[in-house]
Each structure stands twice: as C-alpha cells, then as structure tokens.
Amino acid sequence: MSFNKKHLIIFLILIGALIIVCAASAHDVSAVKTHKTTVKIYNFKPGVLWAPKAKIFKNGDAMAGYVEYSGNMQFDRGTGVTTWYVGTGYNGDIDPHHTKLVKVKFFFKNKKGKIKTKTVKGKGAHISTKLINGYAPYKATVWYTNY
C-alpha cells in the first residue's frame, strides 16, 4: 500500500475531527458553573442540630461551617465546611443530593484582631483544615457546584 495525497488528506481530516471533538468535550467539562457563598463557623456541641444555623439551599441541601477543638468520632481536630441533604425539614440524608464543594477560604482571627486566611481545594461534601495556633476560625467563603 502506498501513501498518496488522497490518503494524506483523509488522515489529516480525521486528525482534525479528533482534535475538534476533544476540544469540545474539554470545554463542556470546564463549563461547570461554580457558586460562592459565606458561612459562619460554629462550635457545635454534641447532640445539637446543625440545620438551624446552616445555610439551606432551594435544592434541599444544607451547608455549615464548624470548628472542633478536641476531635470526636465524627470530625478530627480542626475546622471545616460540610454539606448534607435536609429536604424540607431538619432531618435528611448524610450525603448532599445536589451540592459539591470545590474550594473553601477559611478566615481566622486572633485576640488582637489580626486576620489570617487559609484556602483548601477539594471535591466532595466536606472540606476541612487544621487550626492555626493563637487564631480562631470565624467564617469561610465557599465555592461549590450544583449537579
């Protein structure tokens, strides 16, 4: 079999079509719209419902920020943001039905009022980080997607 102009043109057309298909599919993946919101960080006591202080979305998912100073069966020592499904009431599923966290910027403040931030990326229902000595977490800016 010889490689002539006809074969070369067909080969180049196939390569071009492959590049266009790959570029179009990559564009669709990166086109997921992210939303941004701010949540307060709470030191929830064991047995206290989180939903009354959570940000509840129209899709039934809830989001709350927490700090855990000693560690427990659910969370390690640190601060984080978590999402879950509450539906129309305060009870619901552990996993969110429509919300995925993408990035969280945690804000920490010391007794003198100096502020430090820490940004953590992730992909799921929960993003957390370690505490900063001498600083208390007080809010978090959260980037998330709906699916």
Side-chain angles (χ1 to χ4, degrees):
M1 182 173 133
S2 67
F3 200 70
N4 58 27
K5 284 184 178 182
K6 184 178 177 182
H7 290 132
L8 181 62
I9 291 173
I10 292 172
F11 180 72
L12 291 175
I13 290 172
L14 288 174
I15 294 292
L18 181 64
I19 290 171
I20 290 171
V21 167
C22 290
S25 64
H27 175 70
D28 290 342
V29 170
S30 65
V32 174
K33 183 173 167 96
T34 60
H35 307 281
K36 183 169 101 170
T37 190
T38 301
V39 295
K40 290 183 179 181
I41 303 290
Y42 292 102
N43 185 6
F44 291 104
K45 302 298 180 203
V48 174
L49 289 176
W50 290 26
K53 293 189 176 184
K55 185 165 283 205
I56 299 176
F57 300 113
K58 292 179 186 175
N59 63 21
D61 285 347
M63 179 185 298
Y66 71 91
V67 61
E68 179 58 48
Y69 289 106
S70 59
N72 59 34
M73 291 177 64
Q74 187 173 8
F75 298 113
D76 292 332
R77 183 178 190 276
T79 185
V81 174
T82 189
T83 58
W84 70 98
Y85 181 75
V86 294
T88 57
Y90 290 146
N91 296 322
D93 293 339
I94 293 172
D95 293 326
H97 289 195
H98 309 284
T99 306
K100 185 192 306 189
L101 302 178
V102 178
K103 179 172 72 169
V104 179
K105 183 176 185 178
F106 295 97
F107 291 83
F108 298 84
K109 188 185 292 186
N110 69 5
K111 291 180 181 179
K112 295 179 181 178
K114 184 176 178 188
I115 296 172
K116 287 188 176 184
T117 63
K118 190 187 280 190
T119 302
V120 182
K121 292 183 180 179
K123 51 183 176 184
H126 182 79
I127 295 178
S128 63
T129 189
K130 293 181 179 181
L131 298 173
I132 300 173
N133 288 335
Y135 287 78
Y138 68 97
K139 74 175 183 176
T141 302
V142 184
W143 287 263
Y144 64 95
T145 60
N146 290 326
Y147 57 92

